[in-house]
Amino acid sequence: MTLEQLKYPIGKTQIPENITKKNIEVWISDIERFSQEIEFLVKQLSEKQLDTPYRENGWTIRQVIHHCYNSHTNSYIRFKWTLIEDIPIIKAYFEDRWAEIFDSKSAPISLSLDGLKALHSKWVYLLKNIPEKDLEKGFINPETKAKVSLKENIGIYAWHCQHHYAHIEQLMIRKNWK
């Protein structure tokens, strides 16, 4: 596999220009299933396997799982800001640096798996109940200066779930762990 295929096993994010109600329903379903799917995927892995990078110079499975919790927590908060503020400029975070903090490198994955279950339950409840007109609201990403609508962000995070699931699953297939 090429480095690009290892980095983006399902390809880069592709959000349609015209986002339909069906797109949003599918994406919310992806987000809703993620916490249980990722837990099921990794439940039999040993500590040594959890500390295996999904690619050379990449994060370990443990770091990927903790990253998902960190990233999805940030996204949930961005949704809340966007619903109550007028086009907020979100706080960016250095995900690569977060992944290097000792808890991301050594904490039991159960902490983030449990956190993802609770977070995704609350997040999905919010997403399913946002009025359609409010899905047009957006925030400004300070790195790109682009406005991102809530409906686009739902798609981005559905992709994010699948993206990191594929990182782990593809490693497990390559290593014959699955």
Side-chain angles (χ1 to χ4, degrees), residues 50-68:
L50 291 172
D51 292 327
T52 303
Y54 73 89
R55 66 173 172 83
E56 188 175 339
N57 299 317
W59 291 339
T60 66
I61 292 172
R62 182 184 313 275
Q63 286 172 298
V64 170
I65 291 168
H66 291 308
H67 161 73
C68 287

